[in-house]
Amino acid sequence: MFQITMIPHETSFEWVYFPPFFFTVLLGFVATLVTTEILNRTGLSKHFWHPGLCFLAIWILMTSVVGLCVVPP
């Protein structure tokens, strides 16, 4: 028979189409901002050698987590 799968598709806003990966990266970026703010307030960010690379690594990690949980493959 037919097998219905939840394949994410584009979301339209006015005349612009956004792929699901856009929202995954955007949510990952917001989660990274929250995480780095917590690290800065608690003083744990002083243990990182390069804050920019740490931010990028956390962004990639958060985007992967959001992608696996919110938009499953």
Side-chain angles (χ1 to χ4, degrees):
M1 293 302 252
F2 293 102
Q3 187 176 20
I4 299 174
T5 58
M6 297 299 294
I7 298 173
H9 58 278
E10 289 141 349
T11 305
S12 64
F13 180 73
E14 296 292 326
W15 297 289
V16 180
Y17 291 99
F18 294 106
F21 187 66
F22 173 76
F23 296 111
T24 305
V25 171
L26 189 65
L27 286 173
F29 183 74
V30 171
T32 303
L33 288 176
V34 171
T35 304
T36 54
E37 184 64 30
I38 291 170
L39 288 173
N40 286 334
R41 288 184 187 246
T42 59
L44 293 173
S45 61
K46 66 181 178 184
H47 298 291
F48 297 115
W49 170 69
H50 197 287
L53 289 177
C54 179
F55 183 84
L56 183 65
I58 293 173
W59 188 5
I60 292 170
L61 177 71
M62 291 296 181
T63 300
S64 299
V65 168
V66 168
L68 287 173
C69 295
V70 177
V71 185

